[in-house]
Amino acid sequence: MLPLSDEQLTGIISRLDIPSLTEATIRQVVAVTTEAEKASGEKYMHLELGNPGLPSQQIGVEAECEALRNGIANKYPPVMGTTALKNAASRFVKAFLDVDIPGNCIVPSVGSMQGSFSLMLLLGRRDPAKDTMLYLDPGFAPQHLQAQILGLKQTSFDIYDYRGEALAEKLESILAKGNITGILYSNPNNPAWTNLTPDELASIGRLATKYDAIVIEDLAYMGMDFRHDCGTPFEEPYVPTIAKYTDNYVLLLSASKIFSYAGERIALVCMSPEVARRTDPGLMPVFRMRTFADAYIFGVVYCVSSGVTHSVQCAMAAMLEAAADGRINFVHDCEEYRRRCARARQLFTDAGFKVVYADDAGTPVSDGFFFTATYGDMDSESLQRALMRHGISTISLPGTGSTRHGLRICVSKLADDKDFEILAERLRAFTDEQQH
């Protein structure tokens, strides 16, 4: 029965050996939620885990099944990716980003998680003088953990206070030290759902070139700034990208959200030709390979996974081709998240919550996959625990590198009217408790 008592929740967190809910990883929060469901006998509102809430693109499913039926399962996949996938990816990037990246500079990875991890492994070795990753936070918390596991130094700042010209000034103050090997951010931002402006991207690109830092732009939610319709291939407006402003970039494009293909684990590591052919001083001593691309493909990726599952490469190629042909419109399909977000955000604000990251460089933040919320003067730990007791599972903003108290709300699993009715009921129970 809900709400759980504070003692019940504390006992669950303690049994799972989690120091605090605020410091827990997303998967640890899911583990707490699973135990809380057992204790309460109630199904929780899962607003913590960004699972796609839409059906997978059927074109991908059919292509993958056909590949398996044709016997591909007994063949090792090419580590650098199949020719069909690389060509389709190059065309897709041109269709929606208006950027020319040849297929030989595009490598599949086992999701963007492996993409960022493997890239950071290489970035940490490319130049002994550059040993630090710079994160534009808030961001995807596991990417900080990846750097920690790899022994990379890291620094970050919350861009909320540094938009526009202030972003350039802050970046230069850090990059001028000369120790930054890479800059990592997501756009649209996870969790704030803010979007970098063209002027901000231009500043990042200019400074990345000036100080020889390689930008990793995570486009997990590509095209989902629904204030602009970027869903028509080879037509403006195109998805904004750092690739317009520097040659020092690597883009991460994932199938998980744009094609709702998260379960098959595939993403694309798209290097600029200039990055691919770099010959940094640390590559030969470690990898015995001269270029960045060779060290990445035949050194890092081969050792980490020996490539991406063969059949899912066929699925990804089919979905990319269909999108570039205009046979599917992944942006319009994903716009369902905008509608869910608007409805959920209204429920939270009606219950007395406020959006934390409400301003996006002078304009209201758009509705999308996530939004952020805080309540009165409650700190993140107290708020996260209180909602958890009432059957609503979230993650905290401090765990994402944010300097602000509050929570990240993911709307992907709010699928129907019943879900919203339950959410409204539990928010009312939470507010009633706070007011008495």
Side-chain angles (χ1 to χ4, degrees):
M1 180 179 294
L2 292 173
L4 290 178
S5 69
D6 193 60
E7 290 75 18
Q8 283 177 298
L9 181 58
T10 298
I12 291 170
I13 294 170
S14 178
R15 287 196 301 274
L16 293 172
D17 200 26
I18 297 171
S20 74
L21 205 55
T22 302
E23 297 174 7
T25 67
I26 296 173
R27 300 293 176 172
Q28 285 178 310
V29 173
V30 172
V32 172
T33 304
T34 300
E35 294 302 309
E37 286 178 327
K38 294 176 183 176
S40 67
E42 299 274 1
K43 180 175 173 57
Y44 266 54
M45 306 304 297
H46 286 276
L47 310 184
E48 81 283 69
L49 185 61
N51 258 326
L54 303 175
S56 300
Q57 286 288 351
Q58 194 61 29
I59 285 175
V61 174
E62 292 170 358
E64 187 162 3
C65 289
E66 181 181 2
L68 288 168
R69 283 193 294 265
N70 289 339
I72 204 170
N74 72 344
K75 299 176 179 65
Y76 284 117
V79 178
M80 72 290 294
T82 67
T83 300
L85 174 58
K86 294 162 82 70
N87 290 342
S90 178
R91 184 166 175 257
F92 178 87
V93 168
K94 182 63 177 177
F96 294 101
L97 298 174
D98 191 33
V99 173
D100 294 301
I101 302 180
N104 64 356
C105 296
I106 299 175
V107 185
S109 65
V110 184
S112 286
M113 277 284 281
Q114 190 200 56
S116 60
F117 186 79
S118 54
L119 283 167
M120 281 192 273
L121 191 158
L122 186 55
L123 290 175
R125 299 298 187 91
R126 73 178 180 95
D127 186 338
K130 294 181 175 292
D131 59 0
T132 305
M133 284 293 302
L134 169 61
Y135 296 87
L136 307 188
D137 279 336
F140 187 45
Q143 290 171 334
H144 282 279
L145 179 59
Q146 288 177 335
Q148 186 173 332
I149 291 169
L150 291 167
L152 266 172
K153 296 177 183 177
Q154 53 183 295
T155 188
S156 63
F157 62 93
D158 187 332
I159 65 168
Y160 188 90
D161 295 319
Y162 300 99
R163 299 302 302 267
E165 292 182 6
L167 177 61
E169 294 170 3
K170 181 66 173 179
L171 279 172
E172 185 140 32
S173 72
I174 297 171
L175 292 170
K177 298 173 184 177
N179 64 330
I180 301 299
T181 184
I183 305 170
L184 176 59
Y185 61 84
S186 57
N187 202 41
N189 178 276
N190 171 8
W193 210 251
T194 50
N195 287 264
L196 294 166
T197 67
D199 285 346
E200 289 171 331
L201 289 169
S203 294
I204 296 169
R206 174 177 60 82
L207 293 168
T209 300
K210 180 177 179 180
Y211 294 105
D212 191 30
I214 296 177
V215 180
I216 303 176
E217 184 174 72
D218 189 346
L219 297 171
Y221 308 95
M222 177 178 164
M224 294 191 205
D225 178 1
F226 298 114
R227 296 171 297 188
H228 312 282
D229 185 356
C230 300
T232 304
F234 302 104
E235 290 185 14
E236 294 183 341
Y238 293 102
V239 174
T241 175
I242 192 67
K244 294 286 189 178
Y245 305 102
T246 183
D247 291 328
N248 279 7
Y249 70 83
V250 182
L251 311 179
L252 295 177
L253 305 180
S254 172
S256 293
K257 306 305 190 303
I258 66 173
F259 296 138
S260 298
Y261 225 72
E264 297 303 278
R265 310 304 303 134
I266 187 168
L268 301 169
V269 174
C270 307
M271 310 174 198
S272 73
E274 289 74 16
V275 166
R277 59 176 175 254
R278 290 179 67 103
T279 56
D280 291 287
L283 299 181
M284 276 297 291
V286 176
F287 301 100
R288 311 308 300 169
M289 300 173 199
R290 290 184 61 255
T291 68
F292 191 95
D294 282 351
Y296 181 72
I297 296 167
F298 303 112
V300 178
V301 174
Y302 180 70
C303 288
V304 169
S305 68
S306 292
V308 174
T309 302
H310 215 160
S311 59
V312 76
Q313 293 196 44
C314 299
M316 185 65 156
M319 293 185 291
L320 295 170
E321 284 287 359
D325 288 344
R327 289 181 282 124
I328 60 174
N329 190 318
F330 68 93
V331 174
H332 288 185
D333 290 344
C334 291
E335 198 164 5
E336 171 61 20
Y337 295 130
R338 179 190 63 79
R339 292 184 281 270
R340 295 180 188 184
C341 183
R343 191 172 177 182
R345 182 155 63 163
Q346 189 64 54
L347 290 179
F348 273 83
T349 54
D350 287 349
F353 287 76
K354 292 183 179 179
V355 176
V356 181
Y357 290 87
D359 182 80
D360 191 5
T363 63
V365 70
S366 68
D367 291 316
F369 205 77
F370 304 113
F371 68 96
T372 56
T374 189
Y375 187 85
D377 60 357
M378 294 182 75
D379 61 44
S380 301
E381 176 82 12
S382 300
L383 181 55
Q384 189 180 13
R385 286 178 64 102
L387 286 179
M388 178 72 79
R389 290 180 44 247
H390 285 84
I392 300 171
S393 181
T394 61
I395 68 167
S396 76
L397 289 181
T400 69
S402 173
T403 58
R404 283 152 177 78
H405 282 294
L407 306 173
R408 185 194 79 173
I409 311 297
C410 181
V411 304
S412 62
K413 302 304 287 184
L414 296 171
D416 52 35
D417 289 343
K418 184 65 174 175
D419 287 339
F420 286 99
E421 290 168 8
I422 294 171
L423 177 59
E425 178 184 325
R426 292 180 182 179
L427 286 171
R428 283 193 296 270
F430 161 80
T431 54
D432 286 347
E433 182 179 84
Q434 300 309 309
Q435 293 166 5
H436 292 90

